[in-house]
Amino acid sequence: MNFIALKMLFGDRAKYLGIVIGLTFASLLITQQSAIFVGIMTRTFSFLTDFGLPDIWVVDPTVQYIDDIKPLRDTEVLRVRSVEGVQWAIPLYKGSLEAHLYEGRYQSCVLVGLDDETLIGGPPVMVEGRLSDLRRNGAVIVDAVGASDKLAHRLPDGRRVPLRVGDELELNDNRVIVVGICRVTQTFQNNPVIYTTYSTATLFAPMQRNLLSFVAAKCKPGVDPHALCRRIEGATRLKAYTAEDFEYLTFLYYLKYTGMPINFLTAVMLGFIVGITISGQTFHNFTLDNLRYFGTLKAMGATNRMLLRMILLQALVVGGIGYGLGVGAASAWGLLLSGRTQIAFRLPWQLLVISAAAVLVICLGAAALSIRKVMKLEPAVVFRS
Amino acid sequence: METSVQPNPPGRDIVVKCAGLTKTYGTGESAVYALRGVDLEVLAGELLMLVGPSGCGKTTLISVIAGVLHRSGGACEVFDKDFNTMSVDEITRFRGVKIGFVFQAFNLIPALTAAENVATPLIINGMKPRPAVEAAREVLKKVGFDERMMRSMPMDLSGGQQQRVAIARALVHSPSLIVCDEPTSALDGETGRKVMQLVRELALDQNRALVVVTHDSRIFEFADRIAEMEDGRITRVSEHPGEGAGGGEGAGVSARKME
């Protein structure tokens, strides 16, 4: 019966294409919008994922997300180090400051000050130069995207000359030299990221009483990070998060205080509704058009179970094709633009599963309407002209 | 009204046996009595035509005989099976094996070639598509199809050719009973005659029974017996009415009609 089901499906080319196009569009919209949403949300805590090494982040108790910097006293590093179960703890500076560029422009940058001794938390990938070069006086490492885009020197004819190793720029009236180019995950604001040492960063940073942004700590082997967080909180009266909890806190903040989830959810729902209306309706019409032939098959001995399998097969085939084309188009779109633009696009396997589930729901919904008609169909209909 | 009861000829099986058969659509004051007590026997190897004006119950009667419609009352056995005591799936499978259909509008699936359409009953009965199509081609040869026509889609065939495909489809799985609903109404007179000749030649050669619903008087000659219906009843049964039937030995001797 699969043979007949597929022949019937592919035989009505107009409806088959209508269903597949509808499902492709739905799958594309659902996958692409979800991937952009995940990409953007991942950027909100990219600083944490790039950092990698520490298990625990100690911050002011009122901090709501990673960029909500509430400076701590420098002595907090020592207090954290003194808590039992802490293997090491380092100071970190993270702040925003203006870079003064060649042509007189100012550009906001994210300045990261790493622990002078260990340089823990350095950029994940060095494109040019070495991390240890940061120990040189006034040395900075700039992220590759920032160097070739926002920090690039703009010529009068509009061309951009990327910032290179050896170039100089001004950070808050301090002259610094670029000693390396690195690759980092883009930030939410998409500002260039500049790495230097903690001591240099505190020199460049605007004057204020406290400058320590975070204390990053590592658990001793065998120590439960959550239990250690509670001990650090007890000892310091600060807030301690595991890296995952801090990512989640940041993620929740953006979910709650920005309109992004609603916007993206609307787009995803639109995809779903388009899928249901176009594909579901066309599939239903396809079944209605073939009702006479389903009745004929029933009269000739096809059981309801056979016809059910035929309709499910037809729904799953168009679903599979539409899903494949939609996900393929979304991936191609992401790959194409990711290489050329700063678009946030992240397509983890979970999204593929969610998209497949959405397309499956559309197909089964469409099939359910059709199945009901066919199951209730009296074979005697074949004798009505 | 006349009543004729005649004994069954020796060696001829009764394929369909209806007694006091009724069928009512709806209930209460809006009830429509489509069949009002039909008594009928159909024998193996005979072609029985059901004739009568529109709305007299012909199509309802073959629908009940073919097991696509449940009766409201009376008795009806097809190959000694009472459909009212069988499950829907059992009836469906029974139809798939024992009964062949020829429809007024042909009902060929437009997406399938002629050969694939003919193969459909075999595929329904579990045969793989490739051998089923091969078997279908053999039957299509018997109805005069060449290779090109076998590969044609229904829309590329004339009405007569489509009906020949439908006949081949009704025969391909060797059913013991074939029901035809107005098989010539969509065809011109000459094509209708050819189709009926084909039906007689191919359908009756294996001692099958044929029940043909028609109001096309031009094909009455192909019947062994003609049962006339009016207002849900069989009012007259006449035997071997014309020359075209040829009438096998003992054909139509078991005509029975009761009021």
Side-chain angles (χ1 to χ4, degrees):
Chain A
M1 295 304 281
N2 295 351
F3 170 79
I4 296 171
L6 294 178
K7 280 270 186 174
M8 283 171 78
L9 177 67
F10 298 134
D12 191 344
R13 203 158 291 181
K15 287 210 174 54
Y16 164 68
L17 287 177
I19 300 165
V20 168
I21 287 169
L23 286 172
T24 301
F25 189 68
S27 167
L28 169 67
L29 210 55
I30 292 169
T31 311
Q32 186 229 35
Q33 289 296 307
S34 305
I36 293 174
F37 178 68
V38 170
I40 290 174
M41 294 311 286
T42 308
R43 284 184 178 185
T44 62
F45 50 80
S46 61
F47 179 73
L48 291 170
T49 45
D50 279 358
F51 223 86
L53 219 47
D55 300 320
I56 291 168
W57 292 77
V58 184
V59 294
D60 183 273
T62 59
V63 162
Q64 298 179 82
Y65 63 106
I66 183 74
D67 293 319
D68 181 24
I69 307 290
K70 308 261 170 67
L72 310 169
R73 288 175 299 174
D74 280 356
T75 52
E76 300 296 359
V77 180
L78 302 173
R79 294 177 70 195
V80 172
R81 281 175 184 159
S82 68
V83 175
E84 191 185 336
V86 172
Q87 188 168 25
W88 49 255
I90 52 161
L92 273 175
Y93 174 84
K94 183 173 185 281
S96 179
L97 83 174
E98 298 287 310
H100 189 196
L101 308 178
Y102 286 114
E103 60 269 28
R105 277 189 304 123
Y106 285 90
Q107 170 64 51
S108 278
C109 299
V110 176
L111 182 68
V112 180
L114 306 173
D115 177 43
D116 291 53
E117 291 172 28
T118 61
L119 295 180
I120 284 172
V125 180
M126 288 299 295
V127 178
E128 225 180 312
R130 292 173 305 169
L131 183 61
S132 56
D133 291 340
L134 277 186
R135 294 202 171 94
R136 288 163 56 186
N137 195 25
V140 294
I141 294 173
V142 181
D143 86 274
V145 174
S148 59
D149 184 20
K150 290 182 175 169
L151 296 177
H153 178 42
R154 291 180 186 171
L155 299 176
D157 61 4
R159 283 185 298 133
R160 291 178 181 186
V161 179
L163 205 63
R164 297 194 187 93
V165 171
D167 287 349
E168 293 182 344
L169 60 135
E170 267 182 38
L171 291 179
N172 210 12
D173 293 333
N174 295 283
R175 187 170 294 276
V176 296
I177 183 162
V178 178
V179 296
I181 304 290
C182 64
R183 189 169 294 137
V184 296
T185 308
Q186 290 295 291
T187 61
F188 183 68
Q189 293 86 358
N190 222 13
N191 283 337
V193 180
I194 297 176
Y195 286 90
T196 186
T197 58
Y198 181 77
S199 56
T200 310
T202 52
L203 282 177
F204 298 163
M207 287 295 290
Q208 61 186 105
R209 196 174 192 180
N210 298 319
L211 288 166
L212 178 64
S213 307
F214 313 102
V215 178
K218 182 82 177 169
C219 299
K220 281 183 178 168
V223 173
D224 174 38
H226 288 99
L228 185 55
C229 284
R230 302 293 82 79
R231 283 205 295 275
I232 291 171
E233 286 171 358
T236 62
R237 294 184 181 273
L238 298 173
K239 187 74 186 169
Y241 294 102
T242 63
E244 292 78 22
D245 288 347
F246 203 19
E247 285 176 8
Y248 190 60
L249 183 78
T250 304
F251 176 78
L252 283 184
Y253 176 86
Y254 280 92
L255 270 190
K256 191 173 175 183
Y257 293 106
T258 66
M260 283 193 304
I262 297 293
N263 291 336
F264 281 98
L265 196 65
T266 305
V268 168
M269 285 309 294
L270 270 177
F272 193 78
I273 291 165
V274 164
I276 281 283
T277 47
I278 295 182
S279 302
Q281 183 65 38
T282 316
F283 191 82
H284 189 232
N285 285 347
F286 166 76
T287 308
L288 288 186
D289 285 355
N290 284 298
L291 216 50
R292 179 175 199 87
Y293 306 112
F294 281 118
T296 305
L297 292 173
K298 225 175 193 180
M300 291 193 303
T303 58
N304 273 344
R305 189 178 297 183
M306 287 177 183
L307 299 180
L308 174 74
R309 278 176 49 195
M310 282 177 72
I311 294 171
L312 281 179
L313 177 71
Q314 289 170 337
L316 291 176
V317 165
V318 287
I321 294 170
Y323 169 73
L325 290 175
V327 165
S331 306
W333 183 87
L335 280 174
L336 199 70
L337 291 188
S338 295
R340 299 176 185 186
T341 67
Q342 303 311 312
I343 193 157
F345 186 88
R346 200 177 161 95
L347 190 56
W349 65 266
Q350 291 93 335
L351 264 194
L352 296 177
V353 173
I354 290 169
S355 179
V359 171
L360 189 66
V361 168
I362 294 171
C363 291
L364 292 182
L369 286 175
S370 304
I371 285 166
R372 203 167 152 268
K373 281 268 179 199
V374 173
M375 295 298 108
K376 288 192 155 192
L377 182 69
E378 285 281 345
V381 74
V382 293
F383 288 126
R384 290 174 204 143
S385 52
Chain B
M1 290 199 173
E2 63 181 87
T3 301
S4 73
V5 181
Q6 294 176 334
N8 293 346
R12 307 269 320 254
D13 294 331
I14 297 173
V15 172
V16 180
K17 189 175 182 180
C18 300
L21 180 63
T22 62
K23 175 66 189 177
T24 310
Y25 296 105
T27 53
E29 288 184 4
S30 62
V32 176
Y33 300 93
L35 298 178
R36 296 167 182 261
V38 171
D39 297 302
L40 180 73
E41 285 178 359
V42 182
L43 298 180
E46 77 162 338
L47 193 161
L48 174 80
M49 278 189 189
L50 288 172
V51 302
S54 291
C56 68
K58 307 185 294 287
T59 301
T60 302
L61 180 56
I62 58 160
S63 297
V64 173
I65 288 172
V68 294
L69 199 63
H70 276 290
R71 67 177 187 266
S72 304
C76 184
E77 287 184 357
V78 180
F79 300 105
D80 298 325
K81 297 273 185 185
D82 180 354
F83 291 140
N84 277 22
T85 63
M86 296 162 73
S87 70
V88 173
D89 274 1
E90 282 172 341
I91 297 169
T92 308
R93 279 193 286 270
F94 180 84
R95 278 200 308 267
V97 175
K98 287 282 190 181
I99 303 174
F101 292 86
V102 178
F103 306 105
Q104 181 178 0
F106 321 132
N107 287 14
L108 300 178
I109 297 172
L112 304 182
T113 64
E116 289 163 352
N117 262 295
V118 174
T120 305
L122 297 174
I123 294 171
I124 289 172
N125 286 325
M127 193 183 276
K128 298 275 181 206
R130 193 182 292 265
V133 170
E134 280 309 310
R137 299 166 85 84
E138 293 305 314
V139 183
L140 275 171
K141 277 182 197 163
K142 289 182 186 168
V143 299
F145 266 48
D146 58 25
E147 284 297 319
R148 186 187 58 78
M149 288 159 75
M150 288 179 197
R151 286 193 299 270
S152 300
M153 307 308 278
M155 62 179 290
D156 299 324
L157 299 173
S158 68
Q161 288 170 333
Q162 288 191 48
Q163 198 58 299
R164 278 151 71 191
V165 175
I167 290 164
R169 183 175 65 180
L171 293 168
V172 71
H173 55 304
S174 303
S176 305
L177 170 66
I178 296 176
V179 292
C180 308
D181 182 34
E182 306 277 8
T184 58
S185 68
L187 308 174
D188 61 73
E190 184 54 32
T191 311
R193 282 183 59 82
K194 284 181 181 168
V195 162
M196 281 312 297
Q197 261 166 358
L198 197 64
V199 168
R200 272 205 73 89
E201 278 170 31
L202 295 175
L204 293 181
D205 71 340
Q206 291 178 343
N207 212 30
R208 292 186 182 102
L210 260 96
V211 181
V212 178
V213 166
T214 187
H215 56 252
D216 184 356
S217 58
R218 295 169 303 184
I219 62 166
F220 286 177
E221 62 184 284
F222 294 96
D224 293 317
R225 285 190 300 146
I226 294 179
E228 291 174 37
M229 287 190 74
E230 200 176 317
D231 197 22
R233 294 182 177 90
I234 291 178
T235 54
R236 203 165 84 99
V237 178
S238 52
E239 288 183 41
H240 197 26
E243 295 173 354
E249 189 185 335
V253 245
S254 176
R256 175 178 295 183
K257 186 238 121 213
M258 292 180 201
E259 271 300 311

